[in-house]
Amino acid sequence: MKHYVVGFAFNHTMDRVLMLKRNKPPYQYLYNGVGGKIELGEDPQHAMFRELQEETGLKQSDIQTSSHLTTLEFKSGVRLAVYYFQLNRNIEPSPTVKTMDEGTLEWLHIEDDHLLDASNLKMAGDGNIAYFIQFAQKVHKGIASF
């Protein structure tokens, strides 16, 4: 089984999400959270923080709240651990984008960019990202729990 992590970093007001517009398959040219493979012997939470720092430059000290949302297992032999992060008040979304090998990082507005619409064709994950964002918002508000 292959093990991966994906995370969604929200600004401190929880109305923007840092998304990666992927350059490579799978989901080429679509927006996804940040993440990647869990290394041998690494626990999922450590892998998520490592991937977050490698891909975005954000450190654990930049994060006010973090939570494991769920872990999914697919028939294809993939296990995916999903996380969300709320950044500290002093970390503001940059209006500029950051381009790297994996793609382009952009701060997307949840409402303006229709991130809660599971049929949004700009998003990876077969509609799952909308549900992950909704779940993160509910967990953050204390409406949902594990």
Side-chain angles (χ1 to χ4, degrees):
M1 181 167 284
K2 296 179 183 178
H3 299 265
Y4 295 90
V5 291
V6 66
F8 300 91
F10 292 80
N11 65 336
H12 75 278
T13 56
M14 296 289 290
D15 64 347
R16 293 186 180 275
V17 182
L18 186 60
M19 302 293 288
L20 176 68
K21 188 172 186 181
R22 294 183 52 87
N23 281 341
K24 307 174 188 175
Y27 303 122
Q28 189 171 19
Y29 308 125
L30 299 177
Y31 289 101
N32 200 358
V34 298
K37 294 177 187 169
I38 298 175
E39 295 176 359
L40 188 61
E42 188 176 39
D43 70 68
Q45 184 174 357
H46 182 267
M48 185 69 255
F49 281 112
R50 176 184 51 76
E51 289 286 349
L52 184 68
Q53 184 165 358
E54 285 176 6
E55 292 187 12
T56 70
L58 293 169
K59 302 176 192 84
Q60 263 185 288
S61 60
D62 297 327
I63 297 167
Q64 175 178 313
T65 306
S66 67
S67 183
H68 172 251
L69 293 175
T70 190
T71 297
L72 304 170
E73 288 191 22
F74 299 94
K75 291 178 184 177
S76 64
V78 170
R79 177 181 288 165
L80 178 66
V82 182
Y83 292 83
Y84 95 91
F85 307 94
Q86 179 191 22
L87 302 183
N88 293 325
R89 289 188 179 275
N90 63 334
I91 308 293
E92 284 296 322
S94 171
T96 59
V97 297
K98 178 182 173 186
T99 302
M100 57 189 167
D101 287 343
E102 290 87 4
T104 304
L105 287 170
E106 297 179 44
W107 283 97
L108 301 182
H109 191 274
I110 292 172
E111 288 184 26
D112 294 348
D113 293 308
H114 310 285
L115 302 187
L116 300 180
D117 178 359
S119 64
N120 185 337
L121 298 177
K122 294 180 181 180
M123 306 304 288
D126 303 320
N128 291 326
I129 291 174
Y131 299 110
F132 296 151
I133 292 172
Q134 287 175 2
F135 191 36
Q137 289 175 323
K138 288 179 180 181
V139 168
H140 176 72
K141 291 177 183 176
I143 297 170
S145 62
F146 306 101

